[in-house]
């Protein structure tokens, strides 16, 4: 799992701790977007889903120690994740 998280973070691993909440969230969104566009999502993609889940968890953990307004961060996370779902249901031309 750790290798998947590091791989998903990519160049974001070089960012400072202050950037960790957004870096983790951005990496999770980048993983989830393509997964949601697939017609079927089988067990073979479970590792990617677990990595995305871990990244969102890490984003919240980092935000809890560094964000000035955790409620605002949580609302933004929910909006971004919900946007992935609505973008999928609206199709590519939406």
């Amino acid at each position: 799992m750790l290798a998947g998280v590091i791989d998903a973070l990519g160049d974001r691993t070089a960012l400072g701790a202050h950037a960790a909440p957004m870096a983790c969230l951005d990496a999770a969104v980048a993983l989830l977007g393509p997964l949601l566009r697939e017609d079927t999502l089988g067990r073979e993609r479970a590792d990617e889903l677990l990595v995305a889940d871990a990244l969102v968890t890490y984003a919240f953990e980092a935000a809890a120690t560094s964000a000035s307004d955790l409620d605002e961060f949580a609302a933004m996370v929910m909006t971004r994740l919900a946007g992935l779902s609505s973008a999928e249901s609206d199709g590519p031309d939406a």
Side-chain angles (χ1 to χ4, degrees), residues 16-67:
H18 69 284
M22 288 307 298
C24 290
L25 178 60
D26 290 343
V29 167
L31 268 177
L32 288 172
L35 290 174
L36 289 173
R37 287 189 289 275
E38 291 187 12
D39 290 334
T40 59
L41 197 56
R43 295 179 105 171
E44 68 279 357
R45 304 308 292 269
D47 287 348
E48 291 168 88
L49 290 171
L50 289 171
V51 168
D53 177 65
L55 285 163
V56 172
T57 299
Y58 296 153
F60 274 105
E61 287 177 351
T65 62
S66 65

Side-chain angles (χ1 to χ4, degrees), residues 13-14 21 34 48 62-63 67 88:
T13 58
E48 291 168 88
E88 166 60 20

Side-chain angles (χ1 to χ4, degrees), residues 60-91:
F60 274 105
E61 287 177 351
T65 62
S66 65
S68 59
D69 189 351
L70 189 56
D71 289 340
E72 184 178 311
F73 180 77
M76 185 269 304
V77 170
M78 299 273 256
T79 300
R80 284 196 61 194
L81 295 177
L84 289 173
S85 177
S86 65
E88 166 60 20
S89 64
D90 292 341

